């Protein structure tokens, strides 16, 4: 059964305190892993797609990495504006573009 | 990135009435769009796949007669919640694919 698990459920950081979010997945034949940012009351905003183990992508203070079983979203020197829920998703084994999402990590960065 | 819009952004209706939500791809054409539902503090759950010019396909447990989907053009898909009840109150989000899957801003439905 396809499954995506994110940890921690919630994370509180001080401004400048780097950390990592985890996304572990179980799916037959990974066809990409997606990271999104979601602000309260809004739709998810696309961040990254990773396709193969060892791949890394960066955007400002965020860096996403991928292994055969999990992905990490590293946040370096976060700022309060990085506060959001971070979601990861993978395509279902049954359909390339159908995504299954993890429950998300709610990140709060305090000044 | 590509832009997906939704209308309305929020709607309040009485129990038993029907509500239509529009999803538009603004700067690209989308033969396929997706509809998701998100309950408070939960993640997105795929409801159905909307296919231009053909019938939508629904995920297990989603009532196709209750959630009517029409994908009439390459830039517009609509979701109609028929005979809405309080348990249908949720955040409905659509998405479309332009290289990556881009999401609309969501529609907050409250059924009284």
């Amino acid at each position: 059964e396809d499954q995506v698990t994110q940890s921690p459920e919630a994370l509180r950081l001080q401004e400048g305190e780097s950390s990592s979010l985890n996304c572990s997945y179980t799916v037959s034949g990974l066809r990409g892993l997606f990271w999104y940012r979601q602000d309260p009351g809004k739709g998810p905003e696309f961040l990254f797609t990773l396709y193969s183990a060892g791949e890394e992508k960066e955007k400002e203070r965020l860096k996403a990495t991928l292994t055969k079983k999990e992905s990490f979203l590293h946040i370096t020197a976060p700022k309060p504006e990085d506060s959001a829920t971070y979601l990861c998703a993978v395509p279902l084994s049954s359909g390339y573009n159908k995504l299954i999402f993890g429950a998300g990590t709610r990140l709060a960065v305090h000044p | 990135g590509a832009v997906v819009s939704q209308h309305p952004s929020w709607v309040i209706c009485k129990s038993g009435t029907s509500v239509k939500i529009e999803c538009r791809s603004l700067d690209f054409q989308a033969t396929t769009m997706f509809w998701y539902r998100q309950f408070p503090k939960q993640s997105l759950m795929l409801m159905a796949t909307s296919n231009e010019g053909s019938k939508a396909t629904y995920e297990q447990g989603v009532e196709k007669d209750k959630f009517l989907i029409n994908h009439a053009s390459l830039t517009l898909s609509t979701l109609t919640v028929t005979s809405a009840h309080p348990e249908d109150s949720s955040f409905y989000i659509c998405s479309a694919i332009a290289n990556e899957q881009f999401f609309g801003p969501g529609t907050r439905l409250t059924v009284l």
Side-chain angles (χ1 to χ4, degrees):
Chain A
E1 181 184 350
D2 297 338
Q3 195 167 9
V4 178
T5 304
Q6 290 188 247
S7 62
E9 183 177 320
L11 182 62
R12 178 189 171 113
L13 298 174
Q14 288 298 122
E15 184 172 1
E17 179 186 3
S18 301
S19 188
S20 297
L21 314 182
N22 178 265
C23 171
S24 61
Y25 60 90
T26 304
V27 64
S28 298
L30 182 69
R31 291 183 294 275
L33 184 141
F34 305 87
W35 281 99
Y36 289 87
R37 168 189 170 132
Q38 186 176 28
D39 291 300
K42 297 188 178 181
E45 174 190 346
F46 173 76
L47 293 174
F48 304 109
T49 306
L50 301 167
Y51 287 103
S52 57
E55 187 176 1
E56 298 184 352
K57 287 192 177 175
E58 290 188 62
K59 179 181 179 180
E60 296 181 355
R61 295 176 293 281
L62 301 176
K63 182 170 78 172
T65 62
L66 180 66
T67 72
K68 288 185 178 180
K69 293 184 178 181
E70 58 190 349
S71 176
F72 292 92
L73 184 64
H74 307 279
I75 303 176
T76 302
K79 298 181 177 181
E81 53 262 42
D82 295 322
S83 298
T85 295
Y86 291 86
L87 301 167
C88 74
V90 297
L92 288 168
S93 300
S94 59
Y96 176 73
N97 291 316
K98 295 184 180 182
L99 297 180
I100 177 172
F101 280 83
T105 293
R106 294 191 308 277
L107 174 66
V109 182
H110 296 267
Chain B
V3 180
V4 178
S5 71
Q6 283 184 241
H7 178 80
S9 55
W10 58 270
V11 57
I12 302 173
C13 68
K14 293 183 179 180
S15 185
T17 61
S18 295
V19 174
K20 181 185 285 188
I21 302 170
E22 294 184 348
C23 175
R24 293 182 185 273
S25 55
L26 296 186
D27 50 2
F28 65 102
Q29 294 182 329
T31 56
T32 302
M33 293 183 176
F34 300 93
W35 286 96
Y36 293 80
R37 181 166 51 181
Q38 186 176 33
F39 292 105
K41 296 196 175 181
Q42 293 186 26
S43 196
L44 283 75
M45 295 294 293
L46 179 65
M47 297 176 64
T49 303
S50 173
N51 303 296
E52 190 268 336
S54 64
K55 290 184 179 180
T57 55
Y58 293 81
E59 296 303 304
Q60 191 172 9
V62 177
E63 301 175 57
K64 61 181 181 181
D65 294 331
K66 181 169 188 61
F67 298 100
L68 300 180
I69 292 172
N70 185 351
H71 196 146
S73 76
L74 289 172
T75 59
L76 174 63
S77 173
T78 60
L79 169 69
T80 301
V81 183
T82 62
S83 186
H85 291 285
E87 58 266 30
D88 299 321
S89 298
S90 188
F91 193 49
Y92 292 86
I93 310 173
C94 71
S95 71
I97 296 174
N99 295 321
E100 310 296 352
Q101 193 165 145
F102 292 92
F103 287 81
T107 296
R108 173 75 58 194
L109 170 63
T110 301
V111 184
L112 303 177

